[in-house]
Amino acid sequence: MSIVEWGTGLIIEIISSTGYLGIVFWMALESACLPVPSEIIMPFSGFLVDSGTFTLLGVTLAGTLGSVIGSLGAYWAGKRFGREVLLKHGRYLMITEEHLDKSDEWFEKYGEVAVFFGRMVPIVRTFISLPAGIAEMDPKKFAIYTTIGSLPWCFLLAYIGVVMGEKWDLIVPYFHILDFVVLIGIALFAVHYIRKIKEIRAKK
């Protein structure tokens, strides 16, 4: 049995035995920057709607609540430790205090939009809370936009599970492809970012 199969089985077992609390638990871990896929949690929970175990509304709200709880934990960690760690070790990633200041300004202007849409993008949704915390985005705004961004994502995945029924897991490979596409986009952005930093340093 692979680690992925074992992890999937564990997710299914805990949700089956603990109900809505299991959904909250797993979605909180995912939003706290841990490798727990909502693409398994929510569709499986949606599948259980058809059997009468859950309701679609209940699954959606449980998933959203877990997302908010985990996101607030990651936000707090970013706010409490992120800036200090980056100022100390950021040079290895070519991150300076000036870059952090610019990030703060950017989040001041566009943080709400970034958090809202970031909650609906695979991979990004897992980690968006950290930079929001580092930039010290207003916690109330962060909580609000995290909530309204998580709702449609949780509903969509749960609804897919309802529609797919016992074949809910057939959708998982397609999300893995989407994850790969997002990773490529992040990698390209990182390469562009590093190149720009080198150009700036070369001019000094």
Side-chain angles (χ1 to χ4, degrees):
M1 178 184 294
S2 68
I3 294 178
V4 173
E5 291 174 332
W6 177 82
T8 300
L10 183 62
I11 290 172
I12 291 173
E13 180 180 348
I14 289 181
I15 291 176
S16 299
S17 60
T18 61
Y20 289 117
L21 287 178
I23 300 174
V24 173
F25 170 76
W26 285 121
M27 291 299 286
L29 290 185
E30 188 230 12
S31 294
C33 304
L34 296 178
V36 181
S38 59
E39 295 88 347
I40 292 176
I41 301 165
M42 298 307 297
F44 172 71
S45 301
F47 157 62
L48 293 181
V49 169
D50 189 53
S51 66
T53 304
F54 297 137
T55 66
L56 182 57
L57 176 62
V59 168
T60 301
L61 292 179
T64 301
L65 176 60
S67 297
V68 173
I69 291 173
S71 295
L72 287 173
Y75 170 90
W76 178 85
K79 184 176 181 178
R80 177 65 180 83
F81 304 107
R83 193 176 188 88
E84 178 182 343
V85 170
L86 288 176
L87 286 175
K88 187 175 182 180
H89 304 289
R91 63 183 182 277
Y92 300 112
L93 298 173
M94 290 181 284
I95 296 176
T96 65
E97 186 171 5
E98 181 182 358
H99 297 142
L100 294 177
D101 291 339
K102 289 182 178 179
S103 175
D104 292 347
E105 294 175 5
W106 188 89
F107 256 94
E108 183 68 28
K109 294 180 180 179
Y110 309 110
E112 295 91 341
V113 175
V115 170
F116 174 72
F117 286 106
R119 295 304 307 173
M120 293 180 277
V121 179
I123 301 178
V124 175
R125 61 172 274 105
T126 304
F127 298 102
I128 188 65
S129 304
L130 283 175
I134 294 172
E136 298 188 0
M137 179 180 176
D138 180 84
K140 291 182 179 178
K141 289 184 178 180
F142 173 78
I144 290 172
Y145 283 94
T146 294
T147 300
I148 61 178
S150 298
L151 268 169
W153 176 256
C154 291
F155 172 80
L156 173 63
L157 292 184
Y159 185 71
I160 288 175
V162 174
V163 173
M164 298 290 288
E166 293 183 354
K167 298 181 179 180
W168 65 271
D169 56 336
L170 293 179
I171 197 68
V172 175
Y174 293 98
F175 279 104
H176 288 167
I177 294 174
L178 183 58
D179 290 346
F180 183 68
V181 171
V182 173
L183 279 174
I184 291 177
I186 293 174
L188 291 174
F189 174 79
V191 170
H192 174 73
Y193 174 79
I194 292 172
R195 185 177 298 170
K196 284 294 183 182
I197 295 300
K198 288 182 177 180
E199 289 177 358
I200 293 173
R201 289 182 174 179
K203 293 178 181 179
K204 290 183 179 180

